[in-house]
Amino acid sequence: MVPLEEQLKRLKRRAVDIIPESDLIKKLERALRTQKPLRVKLGVDPTSPDIHIAIGVVLQKLRDFQDCGHTAVLIVGDFTARIGDPSGRSAQRKMLSKAEIEENMQRYQEQALKILDPHRLEVRYNSEWLEGMSFDKLLELASKYTVAAMLEREDFAKRFQANVPISLVEFLYPLAQAYDSVAIQADVELGGEDQRFNLLIGRAIQERYGQEPQVCFIAAPVLEGIDGVKKMSKSFGNYVGVTDPPNEMFGKLMSIPDALIERYVTFMTDLNWEEIKRLHPKEQKQRLAHAIVTRYYDEATADAALAEFERVFARKERPTEVQKIYLDKSVLKPNGTVWIVELIAPLAKSRSEAKRLIEQGAVELDSVKITRTDQDVPFRDGLLVKVGKHTFAELHIQ
RNA sequence: GCCGGGGUACCGAAGCGGCCAAACGGGACGGACUGUAAAUCCGUUGGCCUAUGCGCCUACGGGGGUUCAAAUCCCUCCCCCGGCACCA
């Protein structure tokens, strides 16, 4: 195990809040003394198997704990995911079957292992202890917390005041999460800023079950998505996935609003903001994008992504690799032409959409802008189509 | 359970018998400008049809009805909100 000073330095780096820090130090000291690693819990949601780079920040912190010699305990909230949430607040949590959860977690783990160390890792499903919980046990759990305390959560308080429904399940949900901490005897629980309330409940509940309360470790703020407005989330479509292909990852990061650069640089990279901030914003983003691609792939890949970006968007050249689209041979006319709309339709949501895109000047065929829909164009194998700024495709007939 | 208000497109919200694929705002998308930034400006925003046509189909919570014609009127069911009642 790593010496205390070093552990602290590493763990506190970029941490948003540690509640309370003195407990963390105490626990770390004891771990060193007894050579018993701390159990560091992180709850994961099996409804979304895709990890984005904001969650990556939290996983990174979990990795720090592992590197200090502690045990990471991933709690898969499979039980809660199967129940669903009737009041369906922000993103309606849809109910999942056992098989779906299993599959999602398979994918999740693959991605998480891009960050975590498989050796100091324990994965547990909370159905293990929640599924068989009897009603009297549930009542016991419920008796350990009060409505008043629940209403301290801002979101609940607001909704309560505004008469927006709050399902009882929403009260039970944090209790279930808290009970997870009891079940696995967590020493530390990690989470983003949005989890602060839940982590604190875990701490309180453990104490009421006669356990030493966990340290609540806020590892990341709520990071905005690439739109710079809403929090990063798959359901808002404003995320960068840790498995996004390098070029896409790079491109997405280049399109973030300037106001976001500092936060991303600070929380997602080891770059020195004081240095970076002197550069031109475009340069700043390039550094950021390069650093993040390097983290999830490697430096050579990041170099290539940078070069490709310059090539396609700065110099407006054709990308080195383009998706291939195969058209049915029935669209090809005897004279070797294809109606333009047939050509674009596979790249649009609908044929009407394809037509609109053409009329709006979003379409280029072999770098020639097309704006009329009532025309047939000569087809050649490998014809290059560009739709909007981002989408390229090479067309073939099948 | 009773009384009242409400359920319209991705979201918010108009419309309250025909001119409604549905005003307006937001979002999203496309274009111009740029640094694939922001701001701004312009345009698009159900689907289908070789396709700009007073074309066809689907759509205003579900179902049924009145009418030449319904998002708009009537019946019924479901859901949400508020008030009252109930309170083991």
Side-chain angles (χ1 to χ4, degrees):
Chain A
M1 229 176 271
V2 181
L4 182 67
E5 280 310 306
E6 212 172 298
Q7 287 199 39
L8 271 177
K9 187 174 159 220
R10 176 146 193 183
L11 296 175
K12 281 171 70 176
R13 182 176 195 186
R14 283 200 287 268
V16 175
D17 204 357
I18 301 170
I19 314 164
E21 199 175 320
S22 55
D23 277 10
L24 178 65
I25 295 171
K26 232 183 289 168
K27 282 173 188 267
L28 289 174
E29 278 170 352
R30 191 183 56 215
L32 275 169
R33 206 168 51 239
T34 59
Q35 284 300 302
K36 222 182 130 209
L38 296 182
R39 296 174 62 69
V40 185
K41 172 195 172 197
L42 177 68
V44 305
D45 176 9
T47 51
S48 59
D50 295 298
I51 300 182
H52 56 64
I53 58 176
I55 297 171
V57 176
V58 179
L59 284 168
Q60 203 75 46
K61 185 51 66 188
L62 189 56
R63 173 65 193 249
D64 284 340
F65 272 97
Q66 288 184 313
D67 289 345
C68 289
H70 303 291
T71 305
V73 186
L74 279 188
I75 304 291
V76 178
D78 67 327
F79 185 71
T80 24
R82 264 156 43 203
I83 304 308
D85 175 356
S87 63
R89 267 303 283 167
S90 26
Q92 286 111 348
R93 196 172 279 285
K94 63 168 196 210
M95 294 200 232
L96 295 183
S97 71
K98 268 192 159 149
E100 282 174 307
I101 289 169
E102 215 22 77
E103 201 186 307
N104 285 354
M105 283 308 102
Q106 192 72 32
R107 277 172 64 189
Y108 192 97
Q109 274 191 52
E110 273 166 35
Q111 297 176 32
L113 288 176
K114 286 188 107 168
I115 302 171
L116 297 178
D117 174 357
H119 299 298
R120 296 193 170 106
L121 181 63
E122 186 179 315
V123 179
R124 302 282 288 273
Y125 287 71
N126 70 1
S127 57
E128 191 187 319
W129 47 85
L130 292 180
E131 193 163 44
M133 193 180 232
S134 59
F135 202 77
D136 59 318
K137 290 284 183 204
L138 174 63
L139 292 179
E140 185 194 355
L141 174 60
S143 73
K144 296 189 190 297
Y145 219 71
T146 66
V147 171
M150 279 294 175
L151 287 175
E152 279 174 31
R153 183 158 115 185
E154 200 188 357
D155 173 57
F156 285 156
K158 272 194 198 145
R159 283 201 272 156
F160 186 69
Q161 288 240 301
N163 286 311
V164 177
I166 303 170
S167 157
L168 281 176
V169 172
E170 292 187 77
F171 278 181
L172 291 174
Y173 194 86
L175 285 182
Q177 183 175 338
Y179 191 78
D180 292 344
S181 292
V182 174
I184 64 138
Q185 309 205 5
D187 289 302
V188 179
E189 179 167 7
L190 247 53
E193 182 62 64
D194 55 331
Q195 288 294 311
R196 178 185 291 260
F197 186 80
N198 290 350
L199 302 197
L200 285 167
I201 294 181
R203 185 172 159 82
I205 293 292
Q206 276 178 312
E207 206 165 11
R208 284 161 207 174
Y209 272 92
Q211 281 185 17
E212 180 182 292
Q214 66 186 9
V215 169
C216 305
F217 198 113
I218 311 299
V222 175
L223 284 166
E224 296 79 8
I226 54 176
D227 59 351
V229 182
K230 290 183 285 229
K231 72 168 188 178
M232 186 177 286
S233 157
K234 196 185 177 190
S235 46
F236 296 142
N238 61 357
Y239 70 105
V240 179
V242 302
T243 51
D244 280 353
N247 290 342
E248 195 181 326
M249 191 181 269
F250 198 97
K252 280 184 182 176
L253 290 163
M254 286 305 285
S255 74
I256 63 171
D258 289 0
L260 211 53
I261 302 173
E262 181 177 354
R263 276 169 77 74
Y264 275 26
V265 167
T266 314
F267 287 102
M268 296 178 185
T269 75
D270 292 329
L271 298 171
N272 181 346
W273 174 244
E274 289 307 310
E275 271 172 39
I276 301 284
K277 77 175 182 194
R278 284 194 284 270
L279 303 169
H280 183 279
K282 186 192 174 191
E283 188 84 2
Q284 295 176 2
K285 285 201 260 186
Q286 281 180 341
R287 294 287 191 89
L288 168 71
H290 188 273
I292 291 179
V293 174
T294 303
R295 163 153 291 165
Y296 292 107
Y297 292 91
D298 54 69
E299 187 154 9
T301 308
D303 291 344
L306 172 64
E308 180 73 2
F309 181 84
E310 278 298 302
R311 180 190 161 85
V312 176
F313 294 105
R315 299 205 298 276
K316 308 237 186 286
E317 289 167 25
R318 176 199 163 118
T320 34
E321 267 185 54
V322 190
Q323 60 172 325
K324 291 181 174 32
I325 300 269
Y326 292 91
L327 300 172
D328 192 272
K329 60 177 177 299
S330 62
V331 302
L332 189 65
K333 298 188 176 171
N335 63 1
T337 64
V338 176
W339 183 39
I340 182 65
V341 175
E342 294 285 3
L343 226 48
I344 303 310
L347 289 158
K349 282 198 210 79
S350 65
R351 311 185 85 205
S352 303
E353 172 84 15
K355 192 183 164 193
R356 267 180 236 127
L357 288 167
I358 295 164
E359 285 167 344
Q360 291 181 124
V363 172
E364 281 180 18
L365 284 186
D366 278 337
S367 310
V368 180
K369 186 167 277 196
I370 304 285
T371 50
R372 288 186 33 225
T373 57
D374 57 343
Q375 59 179 321
D376 296 338
V377 293
F379 183 83
R380 74 171 176 79
D381 196 56
L383 188 66
L384 182 72
V385 186
K386 184 183 177 196
V387 179
K389 290 194 187 92
H390 306 253
T391 315
F392 292 87
E394 209 178 88
L395 301 180
H396 299 276
I397 292 276
Q398 196 171 46

